[in-house]
Amino acid sequence: DIQRDVILWLVEEHMSRSILEVICRVGEFDTNPGQGIAIQIDVEDAVGVAHQVEKLSKEIEDQL
């Protein structure tokens, strides 16, 4: 049996590349074959995240 896990993270676009690089490094995707893959997909819209938008907006403003 092959175990297949899928993890989906919805992150703010300005943080997405750095998060992807951390996932790759910690998961050792480039150094150990078969560890998995991580991909980035643009999300046009999402619902159910309104409670996080305000907090993220403030954090992103500070970083930009």
Side-chain angles (χ1 to χ4, degrees):
D1 290 321
I2 297 175
Q3 181 179 355
R4 292 182 178 93
D5 296 325
V6 175
I7 300 172
L8 298 175
W9 293 6
L10 183 62
V11 302
E12 203 282 330
E13 68 180 315
H14 293 95
M15 301 170 66
S16 61
R17 182 60 196 188
S18 61
I19 291 170
L20 191 64
E21 290 173 3
V22 170
I23 291 169
C24 182
R25 181 176 34 92
V26 172
E28 299 179 339
F29 292 176
D30 286 339
T31 57
N32 291 325
Q35 291 298 99
I37 62 169
I39 62 172
Q40 179 176 334
I41 300 172
D42 289 338
V43 175
E44 181 70 27
D45 202 1
V47 296
V49 294
H51 61 283
Q52 296 178 5
V53 170
E54 185 176 338
K55 181 178 178 183
L56 282 173
S57 295
K58 290 177 184 177
E59 289 182 21
I60 297 305
E61 279 181 16
D62 293 341
Q63 293 181 17
L64 297 177

